[in-house]
Amino acid sequence: MILDLAICGDVVASAESDGRVRTWRLDGSKLEALATIHESAKKPIAALAATQAGFVGAGDSLVSWSLEGEVLARAKLPGVATNVVVRGDLVFVVAGGKLLSFALPKLDAKGEWSLSEGAPCELDVDDACARALVVRDKKQVELIDLKKKKRLADWTRKGSKVESASARFARDGRVMSACQRDMRLSWVKDLTGRITGEILWLEGFSNGPIALDRARAFAAVGSGREDVELVGLDSPHTRFFLDPRITNAGTKSLASLERIPTFKELAPGFYARHGSVAAPPEPSTRSAMAVGDGGRLLAAGFISGDIVVADTESGAVVSTERGVLGETRLK
């Protein structure tokens, strides 16, 4: 399973559930493996982010690497991290029920903020490092004033069937959001989550999360379980739609079941139902995504362990497991 992805220049880093962090480069018709920069099944890296010159990863500790994979610095964390973002020379991490900040290049500890109860799953910090958004339990959005160290708001998108909501800061400090019930990327009131305007009508139903490039000029929005829609924000439009079509009809049908019956042989050729097991998720279930600077590279990771990278300028779509997925195309 791919836990997280990050893109620095033309290099893609992947954090995987087996404890490896690997780097890749899109080389025409293939995704070239560059290096394994971390390997520990007992201490996996759960979250990645790009810096100006490499990557940072967070698990039970915080690590900074150069683009070539050299370890530049380490820092202790109070618990296992779930999210990490980089803003300038500051690294923000959610770990041990707290939001923490560290300064590059040595990862010196700088700040600490308490969080509300719940399982954090998304993090964003505005470019001024003045406010943070933490999404808990897939739908509860907490807004924190980092300067005054206080919670400003705690909301979720309205509707009884809201199962997931994603929120990010735009370049001008406004908040954008997508919800699994929507087919649009929306502006929302930062203190209430109320929709105040539409950024773009999407081609498919959104289910988040939202991933941004470092300049906040492009947003990747999860579409269904498998696809990713890349949106240009300066003049809102769909730049690229990634639809890798990984799952075949058989595995899709199997994953649609909640339980799969098991059988016990009573006699040669005679079987009786004997309990059931949980149905496996679709191999194509998306578990991570990232956008490169300028929106040129778009990466998606899946529970199958596959990584798909698209060059949105040429239209090339390449997989770590299956090579080229189809002829180049441009959206």
Side-chain angles (χ1 to χ4, degrees):
M1 177 177 175
I2 304 302
L3 301 178
D4 205 1
L5 295 165
I7 303 175
C8 180
D10 63 349
V11 177
V12 179
S14 62
E16 305 174 24
S17 58
D18 62 4
R20 291 182 297 174
V21 176
R22 295 191 284 175
T23 54
W24 312 80
R25 179 178 284 116
L26 180 60
D27 181 17
S29 61
K30 66 178 182 178
L31 204 54
E32 177 189 2
L34 298 178
T36 298
I37 62 176
H38 177 85
E39 189 168 11
S40 175
K42 294 183 178 180
K43 297 181 179 181
I45 296 295
L48 289 172
T51 66
Q52 290 290 339
F55 302 97
V56 292
D60 70 340
S61 63
L62 185 64
V63 188
S64 172
W65 297 280
S66 69
L67 203 57
E68 294 74 27
E70 177 188 359
V71 175
L72 302 176
R74 292 182 183 271
K76 294 182 179 180
L77 296 175
V80 177
T82 56
N83 304 89
V84 60
V85 300
V86 176
R87 295 291 172 260
D89 62 352
L90 288 178
V91 180
F92 293 86
V93 185
V94 173
K98 298 178 180 180
L99 174 62
L100 309 165
S101 67
F102 300 82
L104 293 168
K106 296 184 178 181
L107 295 179
D108 298 318
K110 287 295 182 180
E112 181 179 308
W113 300 265
S114 61
L115 299 176
S116 300
E117 291 186 4
C121 52
E122 295 183 29
L123 169 67
D124 194 21
V125 176
D126 66 12
D127 290 339
C129 296
R131 295 177 300 160
L133 285 169
V134 179
V135 181
R136 310 186 318 273
D137 301 323
K138 295 185 178 181
K139 62 181 180 179
Q140 200 69 28
V141 182
E142 184 176 1
L143 179 65
I144 302 169
D145 187 320
L146 299 179
K147 303 295 185 182
K148 297 181 180 179
K149 290 195 172 185
K150 69 176 184 177
R151 185 175 66 178
L152 299 175
D154 201 338
W155 50 264
T156 190
R157 291 283 300 278
K158 303 300 181 183
S160 59
K161 295 184 179 180
V162 172
E163 297 175 357
S164 65
S166 184
R168 294 290 187 276
F169 290 111
R171 189 185 301 162
D172 61 5
R174 289 187 292 172
V175 176
M176 66 183 81
S177 176
C179 172
Q180 99 281 354
R181 302 181 64 202
D182 295 344
M183 289 187 69
R184 59 179 174 171
L185 184 62
S186 304
W187 296 115
V188 297
K189 181 69 175 175
D190 60 350
L191 298 180
T192 64
R194 177 178 59 85
I195 293 178
T196 59
E198 180 180 296
I199 300 174
L200 184 70
W201 185 261
L202 302 173
E203 294 193 7
F205 280 101
S206 65
N207 67 341
I210 301 170
L212 302 175
D213 71 333
R214 289 190 294 179
R216 303 184 191 269
F218 292 89
V221 184
S223 180
R225 292 185 176 183
E226 182 172 326
D227 304 334
V228 181
E229 187 164 350
L230 182 65
V231 174
L233 296 174
D234 290 339
S235 55
H237 65 286
T238 295
R239 166 75 175 271
F240 193 87
F241 196 93
L242 178 64
D243 53 346
R245 303 177 186 272
I246 296 173
T247 305
N248 58 35
T251 52
K252 190 181 290 291
S253 176
L254 193 64
S256 67
L257 302 172
E258 291 186 2
R259 306 285 299 181
I260 299 175
T262 56
F263 297 88
K264 182 178 182 180
E265 187 175 14
L266 300 180
F270 292 91
Y271 295 85
R273 181 170 176 173
H274 186 71
S276 64
V277 296
E282 295 181 18
S284 64
T285 301
R286 187 186 58 259
S287 55
M289 59 186 185
V291 185
D293 292 343
R296 187 180 72 84
L297 291 183
L298 175 64
F302 301 88
I303 67 163
S304 63
D306 197 1
I307 302 167
V308 175
V309 178
D311 184 327
T312 64
E313 294 181 355
S314 70
V317 180
V318 177
S319 158
T320 54
E321 295 187 1
R322 289 156 298 129
V324 178
L325 297 185
E327 295 182 2
T328 58
R329 54 199 172 166
L330 186 64
K331 181 67 182 178

